[in-house]
Each structure stands twice: as C-alpha cells, then as structure tokens.
C-alpha cells in the first residue's frame, strides 16, 4: 500500500511535469481515497475504463488522456458527469499525464514506440522536443515498415508514399501529431510516423517526397502508460493492471 500523494509526487518528478506547457492538467484530476493498493492504467479515462476500474475495485485510474481539456466547455454535464459520478461514487482517484508522458526518454510513448519497433533515437526537436528523429536498426522499405507497424500495433496504418522507398531515417511522434509533419520533413527524414492523418498531409507527402504513416492515435499510445504503471508497481509495491480498448482511431 502507498499513499496517493506519494505516487503522484513521484510521477510529477519523474515526468518533469513542471517543464511542459500543456493543454490538459497533469496529475490528479478527480480525487478519491488516500490509500492506494490497486491501480488500473488505460490510454483514456473513458466510461469503459472507469467501469473496469470499478469492477476491479481499484483505488486509482491512471491514464494518458484525462477528462479536462482547454478546448472543451467547463460544465460537468452529460457524458462527463456520468464518468465523474462513477469515480466519486466508488471513491476512485483519476490521474492523467499527457505531454510529459509522450516525451519521457524512457517511459514515454515516443520512447516506448521506438523500443517495440526497433528504432534508435538520435535526437529530439520541434515543439517542446516532442518530435523524435532516428534510424531503424535494420534496412527496411516503406512497405516493410507499414507491415511491421500493422503486425506490432495490431492496427492497419495509412501509408502515403512509394512502397519500395528505402527508409533510412525516421521521424515520429505518437498520437495526434500530424501537424509536426512539415518540421519532420525539414529534418530530411524518409518517413514521418504518427497516430493521425488530416487531409493536408496527403498533399505534403506527395509534394515533399517525405512519406507519411498514420498508425493510429490509440494504437501508438498504448505503451507509455503501461511502462509508467510497471515502474510504479515496482517502486511502491502496488498492483497495476492495464485496461485496453479496441479503439480504431
């Protein structure tokens, strides 16, 4: 057993939350019981994830995507009321770590994606150093990279570019980071991998010669929260489970 405060203070320190300008709060978002024996991790604080935490009699739901965003209304109504009501009824803490979890050099979504895909990070750049630049550990074509992403993430990616294009340098940022594509292309990489694609990226890929792969927002961000959960389990001797959803987006 550990206190909520001890666990979240450790998360804040290890993830260096104070160094990020984020559009979501990092740390505790809904307060529950103080003592923590069982944590459920998930990509998003969805109703399904909350219900799973309730079923498991968890003390905390720890996520990457919380429930409060600067672009959303401040009122607690509808689906948001239902989620929060369930947490409060069962005295479950809900904490989220957004950009700090993307960026951590070992536990982060970008680092974890590189680890499971076999990419070596050379450096980070761009907005808040969220864009990773690196190389594959073995030669691969664009088609081969798309196939490996599909097999590893269990989600068919959208691949824009010539199938036989050799991939020697890769840029990547998990989640909804399609807006970083121009910066990635300016770094001289062969392909940019992220979670989502918008209409403009098709044309930029065609016109810049930099290939673009959208591998799924959820699919690319399953791994950071699991890595964080494993570290917490080891450090604080608490039970940690991961709840996954079949989210195709």
């Amino acid at each position: 057993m550990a206190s909520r405060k001890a666990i979240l203070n450790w998360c804040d320190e290890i993830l260096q939350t104070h160094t990020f300008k984020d559009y979501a709060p990092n740390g505790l978002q809904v307060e529950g019981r103080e003592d923590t024996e069982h944590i459920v991790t998930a990509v998003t604080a969805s109703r399904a994830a909350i219900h799973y935490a309730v079923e498991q009699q968890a003390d905390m739901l720890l996520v990457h995507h919380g429930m409060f965003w600067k672009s959303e209304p401040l009122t607690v109504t509808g689906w948001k009321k239902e989620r929060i009501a369930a947490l409060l009824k069962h005295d479950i803490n809900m904490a989220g770590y957004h950009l700090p979890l993307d960026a951590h050099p070992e536990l982060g979504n970008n680092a974890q994606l590189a680890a499971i895909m076999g990419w070596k990070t050379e450096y980070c750049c761009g907005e808040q150093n969220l864009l990773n630049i690196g190389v594959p550990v073995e030669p691969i074509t664009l088609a081969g990279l798309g196939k490996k992403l599909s097999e590893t993430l269990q989600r068919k990616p959208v691949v824009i570019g010539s199938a036989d294009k050799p991939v020697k340098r890769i840029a990547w940022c998990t989640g909804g980071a399609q807006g970083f594509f121009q910066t990635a292309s300016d770094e001289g990489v062969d392909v940019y991998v992220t979670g989502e694609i918008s209409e403009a990226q098709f044309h930029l890929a065609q016109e810049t010669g930099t290939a673009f792969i959208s591998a799924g927002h959820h699919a690319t961000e399953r791994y950071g929260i699991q890595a964080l959960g494993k570290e917490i389990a080891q450090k604080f001797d608490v039970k940690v489970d991961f709840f996954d959803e079949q989210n195709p987006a």
Side-chain angles (χ1 to χ4, degrees), residues 214-230:
S214 166
H217 193 138
H218 178 87
T220 58
E221 295 197 325
R222 285 192 189 106
Y223 306 100
I225 197 68
Q226 292 185 69
L228 181 62
K230 289 177 182 177

Side-chain angles (χ1 to χ4, degrees), residues 141-219:
T141 64
L142 184 63
L145 180 59
K147 181 180 179 181
K148 187 172 182 181
L149 280 163
S150 179
E151 293 172 348
T152 303
L153 304 184
Q154 295 298 296
R155 195 265 195 192
K156 185 178 180 180
V158 175
V159 181
I160 310 297
S162 177
D164 59 358
K165 177 184 177 71
V167 174
K168 298 179 180 179
R169 298 187 74 230
I170 303 174
W172 67 95
C173 184
T174 65
Q178 60 268 51
F180 292 172
F181 185 30
Q182 183 64 64
T183 302
S185 181
D186 290 344
E187 292 296 314
V189 299
D190 300 301
V191 61
Y192 177 51
V193 179
T194 188
E196 297 184 14
I197 184 170
S198 299
E199 191 270 349
Q201 280 80 58
F202 170 80
H203 301 291
L204 285 175
Q206 296 291 314
E207 295 169 25
T208 63
T210 305
F212 185 98
I213 296 181
S214 166
H217 193 138
H218 178 87

